[in-house]
Each structure stands twice: as C-alpha cells, then as structure tokens.
C-alpha cells in the first residue's frame, strides 16, 4: 500500500464476509478429516472425548483449533491476508502500512477472545463501528488495521 494515500479502512461487512469465506474453507478442510478419523461428518457430544466438564479435550478438536489459529496468524502475519480477505480485497497491515509480522498477527488473533465478549463478537463489532480506523480491540493492541486494497486494472 502506498502510504502517501489515505488508507481505506475495511468496515464490518467486508470483514464479516471474509470471515465467512475463511470458515467455509476451514469447514471444507475439516469435514472429510472428521469423517476419516471419527467416522462421522459432524461430531456430536457423544463423539468427543470429554475430560473436564464442558471443556473439549478431544485431540481432533484441539488439533482443529490449533490449525485455525495458525491459519489466521501465519497468513495475516506473513502474507497480510487470509483466503477470505484476499478474495475481498482486504489486507491486514501495521499502522505504518507494512506487513504485520508474526508477533502482531498472533496478538491480534489471540485477542479475538476479548473481541468475542460477551457473545457474538459484540465488543469487536462495537469497536469497529465506533472507530474511525474500523479497529477492533485486537487491532488496537497489536497496532494493526484492516484496509481495502486497490485491485490492479488489467
């Protein structure tokens, strides 16, 4: 992104749609693996190994959580965009316009837990809607922003 231009911060709708695309991709990846490993397409409560009450400790579920976290951290940190963001012309950048790198990407993605409070990502939604830079809590702490990028005309 050329820093002489004013960044075009991404609002709630394109960010949500990018997340839907990312989750659709991950589900398409996880469903056949679940079928292969567990013998079912979608796991119910009886298919999980529960060790501590409501905490899911099933190795397959924990592996999926790790893959999801790494998907967002690695792609946003190293490339600047997940599949969903790339398809919608969005990019995660540092406040100075550069790629966020792994530490900033890890911080912004760990803080999705805070943005998700109390439910339905309410904290993140309110912060994005009330911020001129459309920044959720994770973006503010990590020093990152999500921007729209211009597509090259061919």
């Amino acid at each position: 992104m050329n820093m002489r231009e004013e960044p075009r911060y991404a609002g709630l709708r394109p960010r949500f749609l990018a997340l839907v695309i990312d989750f659709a991709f991950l589900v398409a990846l996880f469903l056949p693996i679940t079928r292969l490993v567990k013998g079912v397409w979608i796991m119910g409560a009886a298919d999980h190994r529960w060790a501590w009450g409501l905490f899911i400790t099933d190795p397959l579920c924990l592996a999926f959580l790790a893959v999801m976290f790494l998907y967002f951290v690695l792609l946003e940190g190293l490339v600047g965009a997940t599949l969903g963001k790339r398809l919608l012309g969005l990019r995660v950048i540092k406040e100075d316009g550069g790629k966020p790198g792994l530490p900033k990407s890890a911080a912004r993605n760990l803080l999705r837990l805070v943005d998700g409070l109390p439910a339905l990502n309410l904290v993140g939604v309110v912060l994005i809607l009330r911020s001129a830079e459309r920044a959720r809590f994770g973006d503010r702490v990590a020093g990152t922003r999500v921007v729209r990028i211009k597509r090259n005309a061919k």
Side-chain angles (χ1 to χ4, degrees):
M1 188 174 97
N2 185 347
M3 288 312 295
R4 285 178 256 164
E5 300 174 18
E6 187 66 28
R8 296 178 9 201
Y9 299 108
L12 195 57
R13 181 179 297 158
R15 291 173 73 148
F16 174 75
L17 292 173
L19 198 56
V20 168
I21 292 168
D22 289 327
F23 278 118
F25 168 74
L26 291 167
V27 165
L29 177 71
F30 294 158
L31 283 178
I33 294 170
T34 302
R35 176 74 174 159
L36 190 67
V37 173
K38 295 287 188 173
V40 295
W41 288 101
I42 299 174
M43 292 172 60
D47 301 311
H48 289 285
R49 291 188 199 161
W50 301 85
W52 299 296
L54 295 177
F55 291 103
I56 296 175
T57 56
D58 188 271
L60 184 62
C61 292
L62 295 175
F64 286 168
L65 285 173
V67 168
M68 287 172 46
F69 180 71
L70 290 173
Y71 169 82
F72 286 98
V73 170
L74 292 175
L75 288 177
E76 290 176 355
L78 299 175
V79 181
T82 60
L83 176 64
K85 285 182 177 72
R86 182 170 293 274
L87 288 173
L88 294 176
L90 306 178
R91 175 110 357 111
V92 178
I93 60 169
K94 292 190 304 187
E95 289 174 309
D96 69 5
K99 288 183 184 165
L102 294 178
K104 288 184 177 294
S105 182
R108 79 182 295 276
N109 282 289
L110 275 172
L111 290 169
R112 285 182 190 273
L113 295 171
V114 174
D115 285 312
L117 294 174
L120 303 172
N121 291 311
L122 192 56
V123 168
V125 167
V126 168
L127 290 175
I128 289 169
L129 291 174
R130 295 191 48 87
S131 164
E133 295 180 336
R134 305 293 181 238
R136 61 179 179 82
F137 183 73
D139 288 317
R140 293 171 190 213
V141 171
T144 59
R145 299 296 182 263
V146 179
V147 296
R148 293 178 175 269
I149 57 172
K150 288 184 180 178
R151 300 194 187 237
N152 294 334
K154 293 183 179 183

